[in-house]
Amino acid sequence: MLHLPQDLSLHSVYSAPDDSAMIILETTASDHQLRVYHWTTFGQSPQGCALPLPDGIHLRSATSFCLSYIEQRSNAVLHAVLPDQNMIQSLNIQINSKSNAVGFESMDEGDIKAPKSTAHNSFIDCYCDVWTSFPVASAIKRCLHRDTLSSPINIAPPSITFVCSKKARLFSAYFEHMIKDFERVKKKPVERVLHAIVVHARRTGRLDWRSFEATEFKAGAWFVELLCLVPIQIAVVRHDTFIPLKDGFLDSRQEHSILGPTVDQITDSISLGWYEPIFQFYMATKRVKVVSTMGEQCVGKSFALNHMIDSTFPISGLRTTEGIWLSVCPIGDLLIVALDFEGES
């Protein structure tokens, strides 16, 4: 609750177009004036910030007012109708303190501490885009037995380090706020995965990579794990027929060679690119399970596969899966092969 000064003659109340402040139009003995209350400090000062009219501007005879903006919401404009002069007077209002957070609290509950608005946070906000498109906590998680060649030598807790002149607490606070917004809006299963991420910020001159904790892999194991995160297209659709690809590419000679041969000859001619050595040598002794999806277009088949077995099939609201894509998810001594099929139109 805001208690206005007793001598204030209230005319009308507006909200700034960019939600940065509450603007009160009051009537004085000589004319009108504006009084601004910023949302970031709302309730702390009943006086607000008084804005007298510019010299030479008189709105005493105005019969109505309207608050709007020009081009951008930060460019607030107050319009006043002056019938005695047959004109409309417009005044631009510059508000320097801005915040997109709007809220009200009782004075007994303390002052409002709304987060300051920031800009150019693409390097941080991109994490939220990844969490939206891909699983945070999938139903089947990638896990490796300690006795396999692909087991990590040393596992470090997840962390993100920003090299910047800003203080670390600014990054950690923004990151924590972004996680809470993501959980509230997307309502995806995240368990404690996101809150376990430790956010650091270090200055360039004080950067010592030897002080960083990192998960250690054998070089070959790390490379194989990286390849298993990259899906490959193994077939395209031509005239309602699946045409197998060779190492992810359409080869005209390959297309003609499979017209007419037997199924065994077709399977022998298929090549799966970087997955070939993984299947034949590195993970040749693992048991294989195949998971696939089929159905209509744009019903979320790729999205469901990603969140089921921790795959990374590309998804977008503007395109659908084309042909057949393959991805691999190693789970201990088991190898899950996921096949994502093009939907029926």
Side-chain angles (χ1 to χ4, degrees):
M1 180 181 296
L2 177 66
H3 296 282
L4 300 175
Q6 295 183 355
D7 57 347
L8 187 146
S9 179
L10 182 63
H11 183 280
S12 52
V13 180
Y14 307 97
S15 176
D18 62 349
D19 295 332
S20 62
M22 179 179 70
I23 302 176
I24 291 180
L25 178 65
E26 61 177 307
T27 304
T28 63
S30 58
D31 207 331
H32 294 84
Q33 77 169 11
L34 296 177
R35 194 176 296 271
V36 179
Y37 295 87
H38 297 290
W39 295 128
T40 53
T41 57
F42 187 79
Q44 297 182 12
S45 173
Q47 300 296 330
C49 179
L51 296 178
L53 295 178
D55 295 336
I57 302 296
H58 302 283
L59 303 179
R60 186 66 179 177
S61 61
T63 57
S64 60
F65 297 87
C66 175
L67 185 68
S68 64
Y69 65 93
I70 296 179
E71 294 184 349
Q72 299 180 353
R73 291 184 178 273
S74 56
N75 297 328
V77 179
L78 179 68
H79 305 281
V81 179
L82 305 173
D84 59 336
Q85 303 179 38
N86 196 27
M87 65 177 293
I88 296 177
Q89 180 72 56
S90 299
L91 300 175
N92 181 242
I93 304 173
Q94 297 292 335
I95 301 176
N96 297 324
S97 177
K98 298 179 180 179
S99 173
N100 291 330
V102 180
F104 296 87
E105 291 186 5
S106 170
M107 291 292 290
D108 297 333
E109 296 176 359
D111 299 333
I112 288 182
K113 297 181 179 179
K116 294 182 179 180
S117 62
T118 54
H120 310 302
N121 287 325
S122 302
F123 286 109
I124 307 178
D125 296 338
C126 64
Y127 287 94
C128 189
D129 296 334
V130 174
W131 302 335
T132 301
S133 301
F134 300 101
V136 177
S138 59
I140 301 176
K141 301 177 177 60
R142 296 172 182 266
C143 61
L144 305 170
H145 290 332
R146 290 285 183 178
D147 56 353
T148 61
L149 294 176
S150 55
S151 301
I153 301 173
N154 177 49
I155 301 178
S159 64
I160 300 174
T161 301
F162 295 95
V163 180
C164 184
S165 59
K166 301 294 183 181
K167 296 181 179 179
R169 60 179 178 83
L170 298 178
F171 289 90
S172 58
Y174 185 89
F175 207 81
E176 184 66 24
H177 181 73
M178 183 176 66
I179 291 175
K180 291 181 179 178
D181 280 350
F182 173 79
E183 292 177 328
R184 176 178 54 84
V185 176
K186 300 301 180 180
K187 302 186 185 303
K188 292 178 61 174
V190 297
E191 299 178 356
R192 295 294 301 173
V193 175
L194 300 183
H195 292 280
I197 300 176
V198 181
V199 179
H200 303 283
R202 301 194 180 182
R203 298 180 183 273
T204 307
R206 302 178 181 177
L207 197 61
D208 184 5
W209 296 108
R210 294 172 297 180
S211 62
F212 286 83
E213 288 189 88
T215 299
E216 299 179 29
F217 281 91
K218 295 179 181 179
W222 177 84
F223 193 68
V224 169
E225 288 299 310
L226 179 63
L227 292 179
C228 288
L229 290 173
V230 183
I232 184 173
Q233 189 175 17
I234 62 175
V236 295
V237 177
R238 294 289 186 272
H239 307 293
D240 297 329
T241 302
F242 283 115
I243 307 298
L245 304 181
K246 183 176 180 59
D247 298 330
F249 297 94
L250 181 61
D251 189 341
S252 58
R253 293 173 299 179
Q254 169 84 354
E255 183 177 355
H256 290 296
S257 66
I258 63 175
L259 297 178
T262 64
V263 174
D264 291 337
Q265 291 174 318
I266 294 176
T267 55
D268 291 340
S269 66
I270 295 176
S271 180
L272 302 178
W274 55 87
Y275 283 115
E276 286 290 333
I278 294 177
F279 290 148
Q280 293 181 11
F281 305 104
Y282 198 81
M283 298 182 180
T285 60
K286 291 179 178 289
R287 295 182 297 115
V288 177
K289 298 290 185 180
V290 178
V291 179
S292 64
T293 58
M294 293 184 182
E296 298 179 354
Q297 290 183 352
C298 302
V299 294
K301 298 186 299 298
S302 303
F303 185 86
L305 267 180
N306 287 344
H307 288 74
M308 179 180 179
I309 64 166
D310 204 9
S311 56
T312 56
F313 291 116
I315 58 175
S316 172
L318 302 179
R319 61 179 297 275
T320 61
T321 302
E322 299 178 354
I324 306 175
W325 289 75
L326 178 144
S327 184
V328 172
C329 177
I331 304 176
D333 60 351
L334 182 66
L335 195 64
I336 297 183
V337 177
L339 297 176
D340 189 16
F341 284 79
E342 178 176 335
E344 298 176 349
S345 59

mmCIF file of all heavy atoms in Angstrom, residues 138-153:
data_model
loop_
_atom_site.group_PDB
_atom_site.id
_atom_site.type_symbol
_atom_site.label_atom_id
_atom_site.label_comp_id
_atom_site.label_asym_id
_atom_site.label_seq_id
_atom_site.Cartn_x
_atom_site.Cartn_y
_atom_site.Cartn_z
ATOM 1 N N SER A 138 16.509 -37.131 -18.506
ATOM 2 C CA SER A 138 15.779 -38.068 -19.349
ATOM 3 C C SER A 138 15.358 -39.302 -18.548
ATOM 4 O O SER A 138 15.875 -39.575 -17.457
ATOM 5 C CB SER A 138 16.649 -38.492 -20.535
ATOM 6 O OG SER A 138 17.845 -39.093 -20.071
ATOM 7 N N ALA A 139 14.420 -40.058 -19.123
ATOM 8 C CA ALA A 139 13.937 -41.266 -18.444
ATOM 9 C C ALA A 139 15.041 -42.316 -18.357
ATOM 10 O O ALA A 139 15.212 -42.969 -17.328
ATOM 11 C CB ALA A 139 12.726 -41.824 -19.191
ATOM 12 N N ILE A 140 15.798 -42.486 -19.444
ATOM 13 C CA ILE A 140 16.941 -43.405 -19.466
ATOM 14 C C ILE A 140 18.197 -42.559 -19.585
ATOM 15 O O ILE A 140 18.372 -41.848 -20.575
ATOM 16 C CB ILE A 140 16.842 -44.395 -20.639
ATOM 17 C CG1 ILE A 140 15.556 -45.220 -20.539
ATOM 18 C CG2 ILE A 140 18.061 -45.303 -20.685
ATOM 19 C CD1 ILE A 140 15.332 -46.150 -21.703
ATOM 20 N N LYS A 141 19.056 -42.628 -18.595
ATOM 21 C CA LYS A 141 20.224 -41.754 -18.550
ATOM 22 C C LYS A 141 21.468 -42.478 -19.041
ATOM 23 O O LYS A 141 21.637 -43.679 -18.814
ATOM 24 C CB LYS A 141 20.446 -41.243 -17.120
ATOM 25 C CG LYS A 141 19.270 -40.461 -16.569
ATOM 26 C CD LYS A 141 19.524 -40.058 -15.129
ATOM 27 C CE LYS A 141 18.373 -39.207 -14.605
ATOM 28 N NZ LYS A 141 17.092 -39.910 -14.644
ATOM 29 N N ARG A 142 22.309 -41.732 -19.715
ATOM 30 C CA ARG A 142 23.602 -42.279 -20.123
ATOM 31 C C ARG A 142 24.428 -42.569 -18.877
ATOM 32 O O ARG A 142 24.663 -41.677 -18.065
ATOM 33 C CB ARG A 142 24.344 -41.287 -21.009
ATOM 34 C CG ARG A 142 23.651 -40.994 -22.319
ATOM 35 C CD ARG A 142 24.336 -39.871 -23.062
ATOM 36 N NE ARG A 142 23.640 -39.581 -24.294
ATOM 37 C CZ ARG A 142 23.955 -40.104 -25.477
ATOM 38 N NH1 ARG A 142 24.977 -40.937 -25.559
ATOM 39 N NH2 ARG A 142 23.259 -39.810 -26.559
ATOM 40 N N CYS A 143 24.871 -43.799 -18.732
ATOM 41 C CA CYS A 143 25.706 -44.153 -17.588
ATOM 42 C C CYS A 143 26.707 -45.203 -18.036
ATOM 43 O O CYS A 143 26.398 -46.069 -18.857
ATOM 44 C CB CYS A 143 24.876 -44.671 -16.410
ATOM 45 S SG CYS A 143 23.938 -46.160 -16.761
ATOM 46 N N LEU A 144 27.902 -45.121 -17.509
ATOM 47 C CA LEU A 144 28.988 -45.998 -17.920
ATOM 48 C C LEU A 144 29.523 -46.760 -16.720
ATOM 49 O O LEU A 144 29.757 -46.175 -15.660
ATOM 50 C CB LEU A 144 30.110 -45.176 -18.557
ATOM 51 C CG LEU A 144 29.671 -44.292 -19.742
ATOM 52 C CD1 LEU A 144 30.789 -43.360 -20.134
ATOM 53 C CD2 LEU A 144 29.280 -45.165 -20.919
ATOM 54 N N HIS A 145 29.721 -48.052 -16.868
ATOM 55 C CA HIS A 145 30.285 -48.856 -15.783
ATOM 56 C C HIS A 145 31.741 -48.495 -15.558
ATOM 57 O O HIS A 145 32.475 -48.149 -16.478
ATOM 58 C CB HIS A 145 30.177 -50.348 -16.111
ATOM 59 C CG HIS A 145 28.775 -50.852 -16.069
ATOM 60 N ND1 HIS A 145 27.814 -50.282 -15.277
ATOM 61 C CD2 HIS A 145 28.173 -51.880 -16.739
ATOM 62 C CE1 HIS A 145 26.667 -50.945 -15.432
ATOM 63 N NE2 HIS A 145 26.858 -51.902 -16.324
ATOM 64 N N ARG A 146 32.185 -48.605 -14.335
ATOM 65 C CA ARG A 146 33.560 -48.271 -14.000
ATOM 66 C C ARG A 146 34.569 -49.188 -14.681
ATOM 67 O O ARG A 146 35.715 -48.819 -14.883
ATOM 68 C CB ARG A 146 33.754 -48.350 -12.482
ATOM 69 C CG ARG A 146 33.046 -47.234 -11.714
ATOM 70 C CD ARG A 146 33.794 -45.940 -11.863
ATOM 71 N NE ARG A 146 33.187 -44.877 -11.080
ATOM 72 C CZ ARG A 146 33.687 -43.651 -11.023
ATOM 73 N NH1 ARG A 146 34.771 -43.344 -11.677
ATOM 74 N NH2 ARG A 146 33.086 -42.714 -10.301
ATOM 75 N N ASP A 147 34.154 -50.414 -15.023
ATOM 76 C CA ASP A 147 35.108 -51.364 -15.557
ATOM 77 C C ASP A 147 35.188 -51.345 -17.083
ATOM 78 O O ASP A 147 35.821 -52.198 -17.688
ATOM 79 C CB ASP A 147 34.752 -52.784 -15.103
ATOM 80 C CG ASP A 147 33.323 -53.160 -15.481
ATOM 81 O OD1 ASP A 147 32.601 -52.269 -15.963
ATOM 82 O OD2 ASP A 147 32.935 -54.323 -15.286
ATOM 83 N N THR A 148 34.539 -50.375 -17.734
ATOM 84 C CA THR A 148 34.603 -50.288 -19.183
ATOM 85 C C THR A 148 35.648 -49.269 -19.593
ATOM 86 O O THR A 148 36.038 -48.398 -18.818
ATOM 87 C CB THR A 148 33.237 -49.875 -19.761
ATOM 88 O OG1 THR A 148 32.891 -48.593 -19.239
ATOM 89 C CG2 THR A 148 32.169 -50.877 -19.398
ATOM 90 N N LEU A 149 36.086 -49.377 -20.859
ATOM 91 C CA LEU A 149 37.112 -48.465 -21.356
ATOM 92 C C LEU A 149 36.624 -47.030 -21.428
ATOM 93 O O LEU A 149 37.407 -46.093 -21.405
ATOM 94 C CB LEU A 149 37.577 -48.927 -22.749
ATOM 95 C CG LEU A 149 38.317 -50.262 -22.797
ATOM 96 C CD1 LEU A 149 38.618 -50.625 -24.252
ATOM 97 C CD2 LEU A 149 39.595 -50.196 -21.984
ATOM 98 N N SER A 150 35.312 -46.861 -21.538
ATOM 99 C CA SER A 150 34.765 -45.514 -21.676
ATOM 100 C C SER A 150 34.445 -44.869 -20.340
ATOM 101 O O SER A 150 33.866 -43.796 -20.300
ATOM 102 C CB SER A 150 33.496 -45.560 -22.545
ATOM 103 O OG SER A 150 32.568 -46.471 -22.010
ATOM 104 N N SER A 151 34.792 -45.510 -19.244
ATOM 105 C CA SER A 151 34.510 -44.939 -17.934
ATOM 106 C C SER A 151 35.387 -43.716 -17.692
ATOM 107 O O SER A 151 36.574 -43.721 -18.022
ATOM 108 C CB SER A 151 34.775 -45.970 -16.832
ATOM 109 O OG SER A 151 33.983 -47.108 -17.012
ATOM 110 N N PRO A 152 34.832 -42.638 -17.110
ATOM 111 C CA PRO A 152 35.665 -41.486 -16.788
ATOM 112 C C PRO A 152 36.656 -41.814 -15.679
ATOM 113 O O PRO A 152 36.342 -42.560 -14.752
ATOM 114 C CB PRO A 152 34.639 -40.430 -16.349
ATOM 115 C CG PRO A 152 33.446 -41.210 -15.922
ATOM 116 C CD PRO A 152 33.424 -42.438 -16.771
ATOM 117 N N ILE A 153 37.848 -41.258 -15.780
ATOM 118 C CA ILE A 153 38.864 -41.489 -14.762
ATOM 119 C C ILE A 153 38.530 -40.725 -13.494
ATOM 120 O O ILE A 153 38.670 -41.221 -12.379
ATOM 121 C CB ILE A 153 40.244 -41.067 -15.304
ATOM 122 C CG1 ILE A 153 40.573 -41.866 -16.574
ATOM 123 C CG2 ILE A 153 41.333 -41.260 -14.255
ATOM 124 C CD1 ILE A 153 41.835 -41.409 -17.270
#
